Amino acid sequence: MDNQLIKEINVTLEERRKIAESRADKYTEILFSDAEYSEAEKVRAAAKFEYSKARFSGDKKAEDAALSAIKKADEKMESAMKKSGITREMLNPDYFCKACNDTGRLQNGKRCKCFLSLAREITLEELGIGKKTFPSFAASAVLKANKLDKYYAKFADYCKRFDENPKNVLITGSVGTGKSHLAGAIANELTKKNFNVVFISACELDTVFLKYHTAPVYDKSFYLSLLSECDLLVIDDLGAEPIYKNVTLEYLLMILSERLAKNMPYIVTTNLSQEQLLDRYGDRILSRLNDKKHGVSIEINGVDLRLEK
């Protein structure tokens, strides 16, 4: 990653930390402005000191007295907190990422998933590929047309078991039958579970491929990682994109192969039939889309939901 990208990520992480910590500081300040809480906290601190001294000297009587004072102070502090409506959880920063506390680094020194997710978001946005709004399973499960309710129930379970051994999914069918809607609901559910999901149209994918194709050698691995290292890659409306010579087919094959090798799942939606896919993309790409060992295929046909009232 170049220095500018890293700087943008670190600025975002710092903003997240400040928001979480300033909120916790505000609640702490409110509590300490309460005379009852402030006095009880001082008593507790003094009692803890006396307890440590008693433990060191072996004075059991003083130790018990200190423990009793700590208990009474705790009760007064709890009472003051209830009056103010502040809980102990509110006194600790509620970081956006609990794994790294919004530092971008795990305890073992490795980059946190949130850092890599921000890198993808910022890069895709710079390429003109902004964040998308996805439907939810709860709102979509009522759709009876084209038997979508059954698919939503099935893929809600897919999301629950995503950690176990997620399958690749090829969703084919007629125009407007709900393929993208279904893929979006899956992306939404997994994003809420803090998985890194890249949902990208086939046309937008071409944009990334072109950027990769023309990028300096030292930047190529980053653009590749955008698509090959996310927890789930969703390619929507495959077949709608232009075919760029030495770019589209070659890099699509590379990404699918890379993800298969790493057992990293992908979901692809398309209006094309198997024959059309073979004619447009060739047997090597089609075999990866239809790989039954690592994935499943479903076909959704029926009415065009965009024309339904």
Side-chain angles (χ1 to χ4, degrees), residues 158-261:
Y158 169 91
C159 292
K160 287 179 184 177
R161 302 172 183 271
F162 189 77
D163 261 336
E164 296 173 13
N165 184 25
K167 295 284 188 180
N168 303 322
V169 184
L170 174 64
I171 308 175
T172 63
S174 315
V175 174
T177 49
K179 301 181 298 299
S180 299
H181 203 82
L182 175 58
I186 296 170
N188 182 43
E189 188 67 18
L190 292 176
T191 299
K192 288 192 295 184
K193 293 176 180 290
N194 293 323
F195 288 104
N196 286 332
V197 179
V198 172
F199 187 108
I200 192 167
S201 73
C203 290
E204 292 169 336
L205 187 65
D206 250 356
T207 301
V208 180
F209 287 161
L210 286 170
K211 185 67 176 180
Y212 173 86
H213 189 68
T214 57
V217 173
Y218 51 81
D219 277 347
K220 284 185 180 291
S221 62
F222 173 65
Y223 287 105
L224 177 63
S225 71
L226 281 174
L227 304 171
S228 65
E229 295 182 12
C230 54
D231 294 320
L232 175 67
L233 174 65
V234 181
I235 304 173
D236 188 40
D237 204 11
L238 188 69
E241 78 287 0
I243 300 292
Y244 295 118
K245 186 178 180 181
N246 299 326
V247 173
T248 304
L249 301 185
E250 288 77 4
Y251 296 147
L252 177 59
L253 177 62
M254 178 180 67
I255 289 300
L256 296 180
S257 300
E258 184 86 8
R259 293 190 68 84
L260 276 172

Side-chain angles (χ1 to χ4, degrees), residues 35-45 73-74 76-77:
E36 181 184 353
Y37 182 90
S38 181
E39 181 60 30
E41 198 277 335
K42 290 177 183 176
V43 170
R44 190 183 194 283
D74 283 342
K76 288 184 178 180
M77 290 168 70

